[in-house]
Amino acid sequence: MNISGQVAVVTGGASGLGEATARAFAAAGAKVAIADLNRERGEKVAAEIGGRFYSVDVASAESAEAFFAQLAQDMGTPRVLVNCAGIGVAKRMVGRDGPVPLAEFSRVININLIGSFNMMRLAAAAMTKADSIGEERGVIISTASVAGLEGQIGQTAYSASKGGIIALTLPAARELAQFGVRVNAIAPGLFLTPLLAELPQEAQDSLAASIPNPPRLGAPQEFAALAMHMVENGYLNGELVRLDGALRMAPR
């Protein structure tokens, strides 16, 4: 799909991988809607790229439904959805104070996995009713993680949420195939996101050294470039693509 002139929704588009994707799509001529909870940062990015910001809680059915209803009035039918909204929490299942509170596990699942599905179901509903653009009607991309395949100690909630996104991708692609909507996922490794950028340089260098080739942290623009390719390559469907420099996570 040629993204120029099309409406593209990027969740978590106020920072990190989402921001880089929103900027890349806008540069290619897309009409970008940033769905995020960080209003100050989201409005700033939206203004810089000529897009629109919407305050959306991806884990809330009501919030997401209201967003898509408003989006249809403001910008039209979404043709691309990239799910980048998510949180990362490191907690052992059983720590010094006993088992991790169930609410903490549920929160990660609700935002990362259920939030992604929530946005997918609503975007897909809009896409399937739209006219075809050549062979297709829309493209959905979700952000998984190498942790969804090789989770480390302390990543039970995060890994489960990202593993769920991986498992969701193929059946979603199969279900939506009849409508011409493609579904893919990206599993990034270690990227220089705002969270990692806060680490001391020594810690960043240590993480970078663990990556076989190239031995550095990934750039958000490289994630955005892959997302763009997934949009443009009409034969890429139902796939999880690792973007990790051949990294394979150790147990800890």
Side-chain angles (χ1 to χ4, degrees), residues 122-251:
L122 297 171
M127 292 173 183
T128 56
K129 297 174 184 176
D131 294 334
S132 295
I133 304 174
E135 296 179 319
E136 56 193 337
R137 287 186 170 88
V139 182
I140 296 172
I141 302 167
S142 290
T143 304
S145 169
V146 294
L149 297 162
E150 300 129 23
Q152 295 185 296
I153 292 171
Q155 289 187 327
T156 47
Y158 184 71
S159 295
S161 70
K162 295 302 185 177
I165 289 173
I166 293 168
L168 176 63
T169 301
L170 181 58
R174 287 173 164 171
E175 178 180 338
L176 298 177
Q178 62 181 311
F179 303 107
V181 176
R182 293 186 289 114
V183 183
N184 291 295
I186 300 173
L190 297 173
F191 272 70
L192 189 58
T193 59
L195 182 64
L196 285 187
E198 294 177 359
L199 295 176
Q201 189 60 49
E202 182 179 351
Q204 292 185 37
D205 293 343
S206 176
L207 290 171
S210 69
I211 301 169
N213 184 36
R216 60 171 174 79
L217 299 177
Q221 292 78 10
E222 291 169 315
F223 176 95
L226 179 54
M228 180 68 77
H229 181 74
M230 285 183 167
V231 172
E232 294 175 337
N233 191 330
Y235 208 61
L236 188 56
N237 192 21
E239 291 298 330
L240 168 73
V241 179
R242 295 182 68 128
L243 190 63
D244 59 15
L247 173 68
R248 296 300 181 266
M249 302 288 279

Side-chain angles (χ1 to χ4, degrees), residues 106-118:
S106 298
R107 178 169 177 263
V108 177
I109 298 297
N110 282 337
I111 295 173
N112 293 3
L113 177 56
I114 295 177
S116 293
F117 177 79
N118 188 27

